Amino acid sequence: METPVFEEVDPVSDCDCPGCRHWRSVLPHSRAGRAPAHPAAHRVLAVATAATAAAALGAGQAAAAPAAHALHRPGVPAGEESDTPQGLRAPLHGPAGRPASPAAGTKLPAITRTDIIARARKWVTAKVPYSTSSFWSDGYRQDCSGYVSMAWKLPTNEWTGSLGAFADRITEEELQPGDILLFHNASHPRAGSHVVIFGGWTDGTRTSYTAYEQTSPHTRKLSTPYAYWSNSAKYLPYRYKGVTDGTTSAAGGTTSTAAGEAVPATGGTASAAAGGAVPASHGVPGYPGRAMFRPGADNPYVTRLGEQLVRKGFGTYYTSGPGPRWGEADRRNVEAFQRAQGWRGGAADGCPGPETWRRLFS
């Protein structure tokens, strides 16, 4: 049986080169006629080459992934040099073609959600080219699972068949920035397997989210329908075992945003306006829930919110108060605060959700 050496899906193409535009117009339902110079052709060639190498090693023996290049040499084909910050070279397909697991006693590095998203954004900014056989300047393989390995700061380059061993299965409702959506086709790893980093819901409907993704032609950040463009039902949410949420009631720590960006926190608010401790809601200390901010609501949390808006410089619409009864002035002040965070559309509706609360009181 041929050892699987390629796990990447070919997602919806956003390549705008002349060749792609031409073939999209003449062959809108087929990719077979693409010009051989297109990156897709190189991927096919890479698969064929790797398969030949695997066969030469003999049945049951895995073909190791090419070695990583030295630091600060992005885009250099793997195999030219042997050292990598991740230690020994890691097979793309796992030992003997089977999913790999962390070695017994291995302590996974701890990382905050803030740092995961910050690391993911570095590749987006650099527009790291997609490749299953090259390594970026940080030593991580330039494909989807290498991207997650980098963002999670794993000590090795993993693949879609092994990432699950470093994480716990969670539910859709539990998803937070820094988690992943993983589809591993165990019976045929090359057929559709893919992984993306969850950056946060784009609105309250939870029908789309911000995805950080390593794909052709390069790393991207894109609003994506849940769970993915294709094979949606097969994508499962996972959370890295070493992640720390970073929410805290004291100075310091980190938080995550509704729009998918993680930001540092400088303080917390675990006490209620009335003086009692409020348990965490949606992972946010002190957040009382949306019901407290519905039209006509009258409670001390509205007063507390309004006073914090004034302290932050977002009390423009108050003519008196703020007071305990939720009104249009409260909503417009919250909307102004949300827009100051860079949120637009439904994300800036003036209704204080958990992330608005988190940012306002940080």
Side-chain angles (χ1 to χ4, degrees):
M1 177 179 177
E2 181 183 309
T3 302
V5 294
F6 177 69
E7 91 279 13
E8 184 65 79
V9 69
D10 192 6
V12 177
S13 176
D14 59 358
C15 181
D16 198 37
C17 69
C20 284
R21 289 199 303 269
H22 168 71
W23 288 113
R24 278 198 296 269
S25 64
V26 299
L27 294 173
H29 304 296
S30 171
R31 306 178 72 89
R34 293 276 175 90
H38 189 273
H42 293 299
R43 291 202 296 273
V44 174
L45 178 60
V47 172
T49 303
T52 302
L57 289 175
Q61 184 176 3
H69 62 78
L71 288 179
H72 309 302
R73 297 182 60 195
V76 176
E80 292 190 2
E81 299 180 21
S82 59
D83 294 332
T84 165
Q86 285 69 54
L88 297 176
R89 61 190 183 184
L92 173 61
H93 47 75
R98 295 187 300 273
S101 297
T106 299
K107 184 176 181 180
L108 299 179
I111 187 170
T112 65
R113 297 186 183 280
T114 298
D115 289 337
I116 291 175
I117 297 300
R119 290 171 68 87
R121 291 170 70 182
K122 285 184 178 179
W123 276 31
V124 173
T125 301
K127 295 185 177 180
V128 175
Y130 169 82
S131 174
T132 60
S133 58
S134 294
F135 296 76
W136 194 237
S137 58
D138 51 19
Y140 289 96
R141 195 178 55 247
Q142 295 168 216
D143 65 353
C144 68
S145 47
Y147 181 46
V148 172
S149 300
M150 179 278 298
W152 283 359
K153 207 174 182 178
L154 297 181
T156 53
N157 280 291
E158 298 304 325
W159 71 304
T160 56
S162 63
L163 282 172
F166 294 82
D168 296 315
R169 275 288 307 279
I170 59 175
T171 65
E172 174 185 342
E173 291 72 24
E174 293 174 307
L175 275 167
Q176 295 185 51
D179 298 333
I180 62 171
L181 290 165
L182 172 66
F183 168 34
H184 175 63
N185 188 348
S187 61
H188 190 5
R190 287 180 292 179
S193 298
H194 191 44
V195 61
V196 300
I197 299 172
F198 179 84
W201 300 107
T202 58
D203 55 45
T205 65
R206 295 197 172 195
T207 56
S208 63
Y209 64 99
T210 299
Y212 291 85
E213 176 182 20
Q214 179 64 356
T215 183
S216 178
H218 53 68
T219 322
R220 69 183 183 183
K221 171 188 171 186
L222 186 68
S223 178
T224 303
Y226 187 82
Y228 196 66
W229 303 96
S230 58
N231 296 308
S232 180
K234 298 181 180 179
Y235 280 78
L236 303 176
Y238 282 85
R239 175 167 298 160
Y240 174 49
K241 292 179 178 179
V243 72
T244 59
D245 287 326
T247 53
T248 177
S249 58
T254 56
T255 64
S256 307
T257 75
E261 309 305 331
V263 295
T266 56
T269 56
S271 299
V278 178
S281 176
H282 300 281
V284 185
Y287 177 64
R290 295 181 185 274
M292 295 297 172
F293 307 107
R294 290 174 179 167
D298 192 324
N299 58 76
Y301 300 105
V302 176
T303 303
R304 182 183 179 195
L305 177 80
E307 291 173 347
Q308 185 68 3
L309 284 167
V310 171
R311 280 193 289 268
K312 290 276 190 175
F314 294 91
T316 305
Y317 296 100
Y318 288 129
T319 56
S320 63
R325 188 173 182 82
W326 178 261
E328 181 62 13
D330 297 290
R331 191 199 67 77
R332 294 182 70 181
N333 284 330
V334 170
E335 180 183 0
F337 174 77
Q338 291 170 332
R339 289 187 176 278
Q341 311 309 302
W343 302 345
R344 298 293 183 268
D349 58 3
C351 298
E355 181 52 31
T356 298
W357 184 274
R358 185 186 279 130
R359 284 199 175 196
L360 186 61
F361 285 93
S362 68

